[in-house]
Amino acid sequence: MSELEGERAEHIPVLLQAVLEALQPQPGGKYIDLTVGAAGHARGILERSSPSGRLLALDADAEAVRYARSALSDLGERAVVRQGFFDEVARLAAEAGFVPAQGIVADLGLSSRQLESAERGFSFQAPGPLDMRLDRDRQETTAADLVNNLSESELATIFYRYGEERRSRAVARAIVRRRPIHTTLELAEVVARAIGGPRGRIHPATRVFMALRIAVNDELGALERMLPQAVEILAPGGRLAVISFHSLEDRIVKDFMRQEAKGCVCPPEAPVCVCGREPRLRVLTRRPVEPSAEECARNPRSRSAKLRVAEKLPAHSS
Ligand SMILES: C[S@@+](CC[C@H](N)C(=O)[O-])C[C@H]1O[C@@H](n2cnc3c(N)ncnc32)[C@H](O)[C@@H]1O
């Protein structure tokens, strides 16, 4: 057993078969995994595209990159693993010779490894520093910086907007009274008191922790910047598959795919199109693909997953 195999939780890839059906990996194809994590989707794509398909695998997290390199090492040069944020994909893919690509997958959010690693600060159940950065070398601002330095109204806005937390103001007020707050458990306790008791099966701090993570890593901004780059570097007929885990992400993906399938961005009252924008995508999932009850039972993390897939149209010559 390698040192890496001995580490914590195994991450089970979500909607793996659906992603493979969407991308239809072929020998000789070039594919990009924007969120390699524990390399489950990456391995699936490389196995399906055997013997000559190649995959560029990105992750912002140095530990995920280290793990994925080791996990994919048996595939030699077919797997190219790089550390980077996915909103840099146009540059990273060009540098690695992966433009145009036949398929791109993004499996958003965090892996089980990250969530369960106390020292990363993502979990309200494990004692750790309030960090939450994906890339601890390139990012300066931690969750503790936000919690201890933002104003009460700025914190409330983050909890409301990114966590859809109904008691955002009460939570922000309680935090400001109690700070400085340095650890996950301190924050979880302050939030639980402000909210008052558990909410069904969900821990009361779930939404606040999610909101902070989204803010620390500018997750929604990164997604918005990544999507157009992914379309740009896809080959005609190439496919983009995105798995999201909450409604804010899914709305961004859905709206983007719809807009790219429509092309024209002229206001509806305009008598003729003046923008001249052509559709660039065909949406293949009118409704998002969701995991079966069996997958949810086997892998509870998959419960809220939604997969959307679109295909790049051939460019029109004008
Ligand atoms: C849900 S996991 C991916 C799991 C992977 N598909 C598998 O099968 O093991 C999401 C990964 O995306 C990475 N990630 C999140 N946001 C990112 C971003 N903006 N750029 C690059 N990687 C990111 C996280 O570090 C994490 O490793």
Side-chain angles (χ1 to χ4, degrees):
M1 191 199 278
S2 77
E3 177 206 349
L4 293 165
E5 281 171 326
E7 284 175 11
R8 298 179 292 270
E10 194 200 342
H11 180 95
I12 306 170
V14 170
L15 290 168
L16 176 60
Q17 289 313 317
V19 166
L20 296 177
E21 269 169 41
L23 299 188
Q24 299 182 8
Q26 305 289 328
K30 287 181 185 169
Y31 301 91
I32 302 176
D33 183 343
L34 295 168
T35 52
V36 69
H41 291 100
R43 176 162 287 281
I45 292 168
L46 284 160
E47 282 174 359
R48 281 285 177 97
S49 63
S50 180
S52 52
R54 299 186 70 222
L55 178 90
L56 171 63
L58 303 181
D59 206 292
D61 183 331
E63 283 170 33
V65 167
R66 184 171 60 90
Y67 180 86
R69 268 202 191 117
S70 162
L72 299 172
S73 59
D74 57 312
L75 293 153
E77 292 182 357
R78 292 181 57 214
V80 177
V81 186
R82 295 267 186 278
Q83 186 176 4
F85 286 94
F86 55 49
D87 58 353
E88 309 171 297
V89 64
R91 176 177 62 77
L92 294 170
E95 283 171 6
F98 275 77
V99 181
Q102 276 71 41
I104 301 179
V105 62
D107 173 20
L108 303 173
L110 298 179
S111 68
S112 311
R113 292 174 169 276
Q114 289 163 319
L115 282 167
E116 286 167 28
S117 158
E119 72 271 16
R120 302 299 299 272
F122 292 113
S123 171
F124 45 77
Q125 282 162 330
L130 272 178
D131 190 323
M132 301 197 190
R133 289 168 299 171
L134 286 177
D135 181 341
R136 289 182 281 186
D137 295 321
R138 281 174 70 189
Q139 290 170 263
E140 281 177 11
T141 306
T142 64
D145 292 329
L146 299 186
V147 162
N148 292 313
N149 296 317
L150 293 186
S151 69
E152 188 176 316
S153 75
E154 286 169 322
L155 284 172
T157 302
I158 286 178
F159 302 150
Y160 184 73
R161 193 174 288 166
Y162 299 150
E164 298 175 319
E165 172 52 63
R166 280 180 281 128
R167 309 229 41 221
S168 55
R169 286 168 196 267
V171 173
R173 199 176 318 125
I175 288 174
V176 168
R177 278 205 197 123
R178 174 74 180 272
R179 62 193 188 186
I181 298 172
H182 295 296
T183 69
T184 50
L185 295 189
E186 274 171 54
L187 179 64
E189 189 226 302
V190 174
V191 175
R193 272 173 195 246
I195 287 175
R199 286 176 169 162
R201 285 169 53 212
I202 296 176
H203 188 284
T206 306
R207 289 172 174 277
V208 165
F209 271 67
M210 183 175 91
L212 281 172
R213 194 197 93 197
I214 291 175
V216 166
N217 297 299
D218 185 20
E219 291 184 20
L220 303 181
L223 178 60
E224 282 170 338
R225 292 187 294 274
M226 173 275 277
L227 291 167
Q229 293 181 38
V231 175
E232 203 59 47
I233 62 177
L234 267 181
R239 297 203 172 161
L240 171 63
V242 184
I243 303 173
S244 56
F245 289 88
H246 56 79
S247 56
L248 300 171
E249 287 171 345
D250 184 55
R251 198 172 312 141
I252 291 172
V253 177
K254 179 176 77 179
D255 291 350
F256 174 80
M257 287 185 173
R258 281 200 183 150
Q259 180 55 52
E260 290 291 338
K262 190 162 114 196
C264 174
V265 291
C266 294
E269 60 276 14
V272 289
C273 170
V274 288
C275 76
R277 283 185 50 174
E278 300 278 356
R280 292 199 299 171
L281 291 179
R282 181 165 71 95
V283 178
L284 302 181
T285 43
R286 257 168 48 90
R287 286 168 186 278
V289 179
E290 296 182 15
S292 63
E294 191 267 318
E295 176 166 359
C296 293
R298 194 167 32 90
N299 183 10
R301 204 189 71 85
S302 71
R303 266 192 311 243
S304 49
K306 287 189 163 62
L307 166 69
R308 294 187 186 268
V309 184
E311 182 175 288
K312 182 156 174 187
L313 296 168
H316 288 262
S317 52
S318 46

